[in-house]
Amino acid sequence: MKIFIYHTPELTPTEEAPECAIAVDVLRATSTMATVLAAGGEAVQVFSDLDKLVAVSEQWPSEKRLRAGERGGSKVAGFDLGNSPLDCTAELVQGKRIFISTTNGTRALQRIENAPIVLAAALINRDAVVRFLLEKQPETVWIVGSGWEGSFSLEDTVCAGAIAHSIWQQGNDSLEDITGNDEVTSAIALYSQWQNDLLGLFHQASHGKRLLRLECLEDLKYCSQTDILDVLPIQHEPGVLKSHT
């Protein structure tokens, strides 16, 4: 297994696709997606365009859908949810499809949607992702951070490093064997330094600071936890993720 990490969707190669591609948006889209599916949501369907989201979701019975929209860290007016995983309780989401559009995370998923296997990963479901990779042993794995409007983000890189570090520690391959690009080495180093204080790292991250200004400290606390959800969002059709069984 060769792992490649790309800090933003824009940095991924355009002329090829991996056997398995993983989208990461720790703050907060993929954390929210994992939380929705762990709480019994039927599926999560992602959109970059808000108008298209509304049009497609209109085709679903109102009692079977929720619209989640976020721009600049804030909830989109008129939508049922923003992008906070803490709002996605079982009472609210069970049996429903969440139609979601966020500033960065949905772009990452759309960039990799043509890969044979597409997963959504966050720190909270890291172990479920790692177990899947160790079982399936895909030849090439891309971990694609969402970043922030095209730029590097600490929280997505540390999550990518957490996944790669766990593959290295639990698998039979050396670090050299699994490392596909330099970003893997740097992400593992970042995780190794901060693994015992991920919330502290989020306080250093530009998007973490942005969310703190929006009074989202509890979201940061929740998203900084590791391996608390045994759920693996996997793409069933382009843009539609369900819980892997």
Side-chain angles (χ1 to χ4, degrees), residues 45-122:
Q45 188 163 352
V46 301
F47 298 84
S48 56
D49 183 78
L50 291 170
D51 291 334
K52 187 175 181 182
L53 182 158
V54 172
V56 172
S57 63
E58 281 293 335
Q59 300 167 23
W60 281 71
S62 58
E63 70 276 7
K64 290 289 187 180
R65 69 169 188 242
L66 289 168
R67 293 169 178 151
E70 171 266 328
R71 289 294 183 270
S74 299
K75 177 183 171 183
V76 173
F79 277 49
D80 302 299
L81 296 163
N83 191 25
S84 173
L86 299 180
D87 292 337
C88 301
T89 61
E91 293 78 15
L92 183 63
V93 306
Q94 194 161 24
K96 295 179 182 176
R97 179 166 293 208
I98 311 303
F99 296 84
I100 188 170
S101 179
T102 71
T103 305
N104 303 294
T106 48
R107 286 172 42 254
L109 278 162
Q110 289 185 326
R111 173 64 191 86
I112 61 175
E113 67 182 12
N114 293 324
I117 302 170
V118 176
L119 310 174

Side-chain angles (χ1 to χ4, degrees), residues 6-242:
Y6 300 100
H7 295 310
T8 67
E10 292 80 8
L11 290 171
T12 58
T14 55
E15 68 282 357
E16 58 186 295
E19 188 176 346
C20 177
I22 305 170
V24 175
D25 186 7
V26 174
L27 295 175
R28 294 163 289 172
T30 53
S31 296
T32 296
M33 292 170 191
T35 302
V36 164
L37 296 176
E42 180 264 334
V44 176
Q45 188 163 352
V46 301
F47 298 84
S48 56
D49 183 78
L50 291 170
D51 291 334
K52 187 175 181 182
L53 182 158
V54 172
V56 172
S57 63
E58 281 293 335
Q59 300 167 23
W60 281 71
S62 58
E63 70 276 7
K64 290 289 187 180
R65 69 169 188 242
L66 289 168
R67 293 169 178 151
E70 171 266 328
R71 289 294 183 270
S74 299
K75 177 183 171 183
V76 173
F79 277 49
D80 302 299
L81 296 163
N83 191 25
S84 173
L86 299 180
D87 292 337
C88 301
T89 61
E91 293 78 15
L92 183 63
V93 306
Q94 194 161 24
K96 295 179 182 176
R97 179 166 293 208
I98 311 303
F99 296 84
I100 188 170
S101 179
T102 71
T103 305
N104 303 294
T106 48
R107 286 172 42 254
L109 278 162
Q110 289 185 326
R111 173 64 191 86
I112 61 175
E113 67 182 12
N114 293 324
I117 302 170
V118 176
L119 310 174
L123 288 165
I124 56 176
N125 72 326
R126 187 266 307 256
D127 187 57
V129 173
V130 169
R131 282 189 281 111
F132 177 89
L133 294 174
L134 289 173
E135 178 189 343
K136 300 295 184 183
Q137 289 290 323
E139 189 172 330
T140 53
V141 177
W142 289 3
I143 307 176
V144 180
S146 298
W148 177 263
E149 297 182 343
S151 62
F152 173 93
S153 69
L154 282 170
E155 67 276 4
D156 293 342
T157 303
V158 82
C159 180
I163 294 168
H165 182 271
S166 193
I167 295 286
W168 170 37
Q169 294 296 307
Q170 296 185 47
N172 297 316
D173 296 323
S174 68
L175 179 59
E176 184 178 5
D177 288 337
I178 67 168
T179 300
N181 60 2
D182 286 356
E183 287 88 336
V184 175
T185 305
S186 64
I188 289 175
L190 181 69
Y191 173 70
S192 297
Q193 180 174 345
W194 287 93
Q195 60 183 309
N196 296 318
D197 187 20
L198 292 168
L199 181 59
L201 179 65
F202 287 7
H203 277 76
Q204 301 296 322
S206 59
H207 192 40
K209 293 175 181 177
R210 191 176 293 112
L211 290 172
L212 287 171
R213 289 194 295 270
L214 294 168
E215 299 183 350
C216 295
L217 174 59
E218 294 306 314
D219 277 8
L220 264 63
K221 289 179 179 177
Y222 176 79
C223 295
S224 69
Q225 298 175 98
T226 308
D227 307 335
I228 62 168
L229 296 182
D230 186 16
V231 64
L232 181 65
I234 187 167
Q235 182 173 263
H236 277 241
E237 58 185 271
V240 178
L241 293 97
K242 298 187 176 184

